[in-house]
Amino acid sequence: MTEAEVLGLSCAALASAIRERRVSAVKAMEATLARAQAVQSKLNAFLRIDIELALDAARLADRDLARGHLRGPLHGVPMAHKDMYYRKGVASSYGGKIGPSRPAPSTATALERLDAAGAIQFGVLNMAECAFGPTGHNYHYGHCRNAWKPACITGGSSSGSGTTIAARANFAALGSDTGGSIRLPATFCGTAGIKPTYGRVSRAGAMPLSFTLDTVGPLARTVEDCALVLAAVAGPDARDPTTDPRPVPDYLSAMARPVQGLTVGQPRQYFYDGCDAEIVALMEASLESFRKLGATVVEVDLPDVDSWNAAATMIISAEAVALHGNWLRARPQDYSAQVRARLESGLTIPAAAYIDSLRLRGVALEAFCRAVFSKVDVLHAPVVAFQTPTIAETDVGGGPGLPALMAQLTRLTRPGNFLGVPALSVQAGFSKAGMPVGMQLLGRPFDEATLFALGHAFQCTTDFHAKAPPL
């Protein structure tokens, strides 16, 4: 198998090739490291590439396999993750200046579970500072750039995760999603990404931003890859009391089920307000694909989503400044103007308003499930309502245009975080400018399996996910 053939495989296909000894873990790692180094100057996506450690781990993986020891379903698969997941004895940057002086006392549960599944981490990725930025700008380490068009944003905060996977320099990556930070890079970079149900994946050892809204999930090249990685990291964890105790379904088996008879909801309100005509056309085309697969498309009415977004913004602002308060007072100069401005906005939020926003979550989820999931199995919607902007167009720093930009970027993703429901981003096609466009599927709480089934069926009948950027 040539280097190009290795890099062209999905995560699931590479894992199978390594298991069947059609390619070694060392060869897969060498190809990945070479590609990562080759694209770094164009994308600024890696903060660190651990060449020798990764190669040593790959050699050990090959020796284990030769002895008949298969570590797990991801044996030998190279991965790099955004630099907010703790590895014992190693300092995480959080994408800024706050973290580097503090080596982690323990390893994040999600990383431990990927280790146990056989994946090999070969580096850490650029990200929005403190995971608090939906564009991918980083004023400390340089802005991450989109593999399809380096002048364009990657989306954030999982910026390095999205663009390295698109560039075929990474097979899968952990992201985090507090207001869209998995789904935005997935749509702008043309990958798949799953924001799981709140409580489905442990956040222990992951840098927090908003303990009410934070979720951990993967970005990968295909829906199957997302299902494979989520199955490895999901489940209850004593280190994170917010995790749900119910067992993790067999996502891969569920993914293979026919989607004939499922109902897909098309929202009448909110998600298409002011939506770009090209994006609307691609959404319609993806719905037609589901119809051809045997699913039924049903229009649904939504409750007042705008009020939920306002409440979500209040929650993240208040909780973020609570987490960063001591650092913000002692080291304000170590934050970029943009992140400092966003944190300081949380200082003006009254306690009563914050508590009211928390109380609204349960009411909103009940109303959403009654309006939507009493009629359909999933809700289908665009991830963003506009075409991919450039880095320059969205480089507002901490200026007066910041609140409007943040609200615009997360307008269609933040409701999923507020409700806590799972949301899968899948590439739905390309704009006339050649940039990927994503759709999102929102499901019932803990029903990631249905999202995977629909997303996988869509990818089996389209080839958007198989296209690579001309980098």
Side-chain angles (χ1 to χ4, degrees):
M1 192 175 291
T2 66
E3 181 176 292
E5 288 172 334
V6 170
L7 294 174
L9 295 173
S10 67
C11 179
L14 177 60
S16 178
I18 291 173
R19 278 196 306 274
E20 296 168 6
R21 315 288 279 278
R22 288 182 284 116
V23 65
S24 68
V26 168
K27 183 166 185 177
M29 184 60 73
E30 287 174 340
T32 306
L33 291 170
R35 180 63 173 168
Q37 293 174 92
V39 302
Q40 173 61 4
S41 63
K42 300 176 183 177
L43 303 182
N44 192 38
F46 291 90
L47 295 183
R48 192 182 72 242
I49 302 175
D50 300 318
I51 297 174
E52 292 307 320
L53 286 174
L55 288 171
D56 286 345
R59 294 183 191 105
L60 181 58
D62 282 336
R63 289 198 294 270
D64 282 349
L65 201 57
R67 292 194 293 262
H69 173 52
L70 180 69
R71 297 179 190 172
L74 296 166
H75 189 109
V77 176
M79 295 185 188
H81 309 291
K82 64 191 295 190
D83 197 16
M84 56 165 277
Y85 291 94
Y86 307 156
R87 178 73 70 178
K88 185 176 182 179
V90 180
S92 298
S93 73
Y94 312 160
K97 292 184 178 179
I98 295 299
S101 62
R102 306 174 66 224
S106 60
T107 298
T109 297
L111 290 186
E112 287 182 337
R113 291 179 176 177
L114 287 176
D115 293 345
I120 302 174
Q121 184 174 355
F122 69 92
V124 295
L125 301 171
N126 202 350
M127 56 180 282
E129 180 186 356
C130 301
F132 208 11
T135 61
H137 286 78
N138 188 298
Y139 298 93
H140 299 289
Y141 299 104
H143 308 322
C144 204
R145 296 187 286 276
N146 196 309
W148 289 93
K149 190 178 291 185
C152 288
I153 66 168
T154 57
S157 63
S158 309
S159 49
S161 302
T163 198
T164 57
I165 293 165
R168 305 305 192 257
N170 194 7
F171 284 90
L174 291 177
S176 66
D177 197 311
T178 305
S181 290
I182 289 172
R183 289 161 288 160
L184 290 170
T187 192
F188 288 134
C189 296
T191 76
I194 177 75
K195 183 207 87 68
T197 308
Y198 181 84
R200 180 76 284 183
V201 180
S202 173
R203 300 173 297 178
M207 183 215 76
L209 179 63
S210 168
F211 48 82
T212 298
L213 304 176
D214 289 344
T215 52
V216 168
L219 293 90
R221 299 181 193 177
T222 67
V223 171
E224 180 184 18
D225 289 352
C226 285
L228 182 62
V229 177
L230 184 63
V233 300
D237 177 24
R239 294 171 59 196
D240 180 358
T242 67
T243 50
D244 191 89
R246 70 193 73 188
V248 179
D250 184 344
Y251 292 133
L252 292 178
S253 294
M255 182 190 70
R257 72 180 184 181
V259 301
Q260 187 172 4
L262 290 176
T263 52
V264 178
Q266 183 178 22
R268 288 193 179 99
Q269 296 84 18
Y270 189 78
F271 282 95
Y272 286 96
D273 295 348
C275 194
D276 177 87
E278 282 189 53
I279 293 176
V280 172
L282 288 171
M283 295 302 104
E284 290 290 348
S286 64
L287 286 169
E288 184 58 30
S289 294
F290 287 126
R291 290 188 186 97
K292 290 178 180 177
L293 287 164
T296 301
V297 177
V298 178
E299 288 190 340
V300 292
D301 291 307
L302 301 182
D304 178 19
V305 180
D306 279 309
S307 64
W308 303 348
N309 258 1
T313 300
M314 195 165 293
I315 289 169
I316 189 175
S317 298
E319 292 182 352
V321 77
L323 286 163
H324 285 267
N326 290 336
W327 283 328
L328 191 61
R329 285 185 288 271
R331 301 166 57 184
Q333 72 283 356
D334 287 340
Y335 291 93
S336 68
Q338 182 170 112
V339 170
R340 188 167 64 249
R342 296 193 73 192
L343 289 171
E344 288 173 347
S345 71
L347 295 171
T348 64
I349 295 173
Y354 166 68
I355 292 170
D356 282 344
S357 296
L358 291 177
R359 287 173 174 163
L360 179 59
R361 288 189 85 206
V363 175
L365 178 59
E366 182 181 3
F368 186 75
C369 290
R370 185 170 58 249
V372 176
F373 296 129
S374 65
K375 299 177 177 67
V376 299
D377 295 301
V378 303
L379 186 70
H380 172 287
V383 179
V384 292
F386 50 88
Q387 297 204 24
T388 310
T390 66
I391 293 171
E393 288 168 343
T394 51
D395 191 3
V396 297
L402 178 62
L405 176 65
M406 298 299 108
Q408 181 189 27
L409 278 159
T410 61
R411 183 174 177 272
L412 305 188
T413 53
R414 198 175 292 280
N417 297 90
F418 185 68
L419 297 168
V421 298
L424 174 70
S425 180
V426 183
Q427 190 179 353
F430 292 88
S431 69
K432 292 176 183 176
M435 295 300 290
V437 173
M439 62 178 171
Q440 60 176 330
L441 301 172
L442 290 85
R444 296 181 177 91
F446 298 100
D447 191 19
E448 288 85 359
T450 298
L451 305 185
F452 288 143
L454 279 161
H456 178 65
F458 179 79
Q459 290 190 330
C460 285
T461 59
T462 60
D463 65 352
F464 306 127
H465 62 284
K467 298 182 185 300
L471 196 63

